Amino acid sequence: MTFLVHNTLTKEKTPFRSIEEGVVRMYNCGPTVYGRPHIGNYRSFLFADLLRGWLEYLGYTVHQVMNITDVGHLTDDDVADAGGDDKVEAQARREKKDPREITEGYTAMFLEDMAALGVREPKARPRATEYIDEMVEMVERLIELGHAYRVGDNVYFDVTSFPEYGRLSGNRIDDLEAGKRIEVNEEKRHPADFALWKSDPAHLMKWRTVFGEHGFPGWHIECSAMAKALLGDRIDIHTGGEDNVFPHHECEIAQSACANGVEMATYWMHAKFLQVDGGKMSKSLGNVYTVPDVVARGFEPRHLRFALLRGHYRTQINFTWAIMEEIRSRLENLDELAVLLSRAKGAEGGDPEAGREHLAAARDGFEAGMNDDLNTPVALAALEQFRRPLLDGAVGSAVASEALEWLGRAGEVLGFIETSEPEADVEIEALIEQRNAAKAAKDWAAADAARDALVAMGIELQDTPDGVVWRRR
Ligand code: AMP
Ligand code: ZN
């Protein structure tokens, strides 16, 4: 099976090949913890989780790292050399708290939401403040190699030292200069150079390092250093939301390639922004929703997971409460697959091999969709179409049993469908088994006891030449 992935670096969809056979190293940009992440953020995180799930379905061992940004992400972050306030510190002032209380509090909420959304645990969730030494080391190395320079206690990356700068985003150095979106900073050799290390005595979270007394890292160097520390110099996949393409990932590529002498990641993958009510989420419209907001409206977190994964990650999707209602009923139908399959599995008589083509269509359609750059709409349609033949009783017991096993694996990837057999059915099947075994052993008392237990559950048994058939009264 070929898994095609779209690479922002090449703008092409190409077959996925890992550096090490059977192993994938993946780094996902995580949240900046200055507020509870909103549902848009979760679109990006769930995309990363879905990707991991699909790689595991394909048999890879996935070493996944998702960071937590707890320092250095400044407010004016649409330019490479960001300015403004540290987002965490600005929030600390608003809430009259210590910055670390802010990051601890919002990290806890983030982890709570991730658990509620059924996100798999990565190998590590590094916090930027825990990797200051590694960042400093990388910055020193960049200076040594002539890719960065110090001005007083600040350190800048020299973009002219990396001719490939701009390859990911298409923002060439010359265009950036001409665009004049860059603030004039006399210290810098080139206006497009960006800070690797900043000094500011007024900054609350600061470290004494070789660069001076009151420094803190630039946001971009954080991810370069954490990825290197936890996954090594070469990784397979790096993900984020579309706004990370520039400047964040463009700068990461430059720093890592220059410091390590090798290309950081083979594939760069980006999720498109979620829209809410057909537009950008905004505080003034009051539609910057969080996971608890969705739960407060009577939805389960898995409904949100479905809503955020229902569209292909590179297409625009919208969130509204009306869409959530549709999701609720679509999910009821998907949940019913396991119930219908469980019935079909237990049914006696008929051709156990019937309907194999329906299972093949569901499995092939699902796999073809997922292999096409995680095209979830195609994959989901294949699952949804499997319901009809089940309602029509067109699937035999052997096929149903196999389908249940496969549905479990597909459901594991998606993470929002109920795929276990209904408990009651499992119990009924077990009692029928017991009764059959007792009858075979001529233990009539035990056989009657099993039948009585079934009758007490409202189950009617009928002994037919093909075996026992049961139905609810
Ligand atoms: P931040 O907390 O701002 O560092 O963002 C965390 C992640 O969420 C980044 O990868 C962003 O690209 C992503 N993100 C932010 N807003 C949205 C959105 N509306 N839809 C999808 N991803 C988003
Ligand atoms: Zn990052």
Side-chain angles (χ1 to χ4, degrees), residues 29-34 37-45 69 73 77 87 219 239-244 249 271-275 281:
C29 280
T32 306
V33 281
Y34 66 106
H38 53 62
I39 58 175
N41 297 127
Y42 288 112
R43 180 180 197 193
S44 289
F45 306 149
T69 304
H73 191 169
D77 60 0
K87 293 188 181 197
W219 174 37
T239 73
E242 59 177 336
D243 63 329
N244 290 149
H249 290 166
K272 206 170 174 71
F273 265 26
L274 174 74
Q275 294 211 326
M281 270 179 272

Side-chain angles (χ1 to χ4, degrees), residues 186-470:
E186 298 295 340
E187 284 193 357
K188 296 197 290 188
R189 293 184 191 161
H190 189 285
D193 292 350
F194 57 90
L196 298 170
W197 193 262
K198 283 192 174 225
S199 278
D200 177 3
H203 209 260
L204 301 172
M205 294 177 285
K206 56 196 170 195
W207 289 264
R208 180 184 299 139
T209 68
V210 290
F211 309 125
E213 289 296 305
H214 315 285
F216 63 96
W219 174 37
H220 318 312
I221 197 72
E222 295 178 355
C223 286
S224 282
M226 287 186 276
K228 180 183 169 77
L230 291 158
L231 294 169
D233 289 353
R234 291 275 289 113
I235 64 172
D236 297 290
I237 306 175
H238 197 311
T239 73
E242 59 177 336
D243 63 329
N244 290 149
V245 173
F246 188 87
H248 189 47
H249 290 166
E250 192 72 68
C251 296
E252 266 187 63
I253 288 177
Q255 299 160 158
S256 293
C258 291
N260 304 331
V262 287
E263 198 176 35
M264 181 184 198
T266 317
Y267 304 95
W268 291 81
M269 299 174 76
H270 296 96
K272 206 170 174 71
F273 265 26
L274 174 74
Q275 294 211 326
V276 174
D277 303 328
K280 230 180 131 174
M281 270 179 272
S282 87
K283 284 210 171 110
S284 59
L285 292 172
N287 62 9
V288 186
Y289 300 124
T290 63
V291 175
D293 291 336
V294 174
V295 172
R297 290 270 193 144
F299 296 99
E300 295 170 39
R302 68 189 185 112
H303 290 127
L304 178 62
R305 187 175 165 111
F306 185 4
L308 294 176
L309 290 176
R310 77 186 195 279
H312 182 229
Y313 73 92
R314 284 191 295 115
T315 63
Q316 193 162 296
I317 59 165
N318 190 22
F319 175 96
T320 65
W321 296 115
I323 289 171
M324 286 302 286
E325 288 300 341
E326 286 167 28
I327 286 290
R328 196 201 293 277
S329 55
R330 266 181 83 184
L331 194 50
E332 269 170 27
N333 286 344
L334 281 168
D335 284 349
E336 215 193 338
L337 287 176
V339 179
L340 294 169
L341 282 169
S342 184
R343 298 263 157 77
K345 182 180 131 184
E348 301 273 343
D351 176 7
E353 287 300 315
R356 192 158 278 287
E357 71 280 10
H358 299 302
L359 169 58
R363 184 158 44 196
D364 294 352
F366 177 79
E367 290 178 350
M370 293 304 286
N371 270 329
D372 184 15
D373 192 34
L374 306 180
N375 195 332
T376 46
V378 170
L380 283 166
L383 279 182
E384 287 173 318
Q385 281 156 18
F386 193 29
R387 187 163 171 263
R388 191 69 255 166
L390 289 170
L391 289 173
D392 294 344
V395 174
S397 58
V399 173
S401 167
E402 197 178 316
L404 264 171
E405 189 274 328
W406 170 73
L407 183 68
R409 295 204 298 129
E412 183 79 14
V413 174
L414 297 170
F416 48 77
I417 305 174
E418 183 55 72
T419 57
S420 50
E421 285 185 67
E423 286 219 351
D425 288 11
V426 175
E427 210 180 315
I428 292 160
E429 298 291 339
L431 282 166
I432 291 173
E433 265 314 298
Q434 268 179 36
R435 179 168 170 266
N436 290 343
K439 274 168 71 178
K442 302 203 187 320
D443 183 349
W444 310 116
D448 286 347
R451 173 180 275 267
D452 292 348
L454 284 159
V455 169
M457 288 170 77
I459 302 302
E460 230 166 52
L461 295 183
Q462 212 186 329
D463 290 304
T464 75
D466 292 326
V468 181
V469 180
W470 65 268

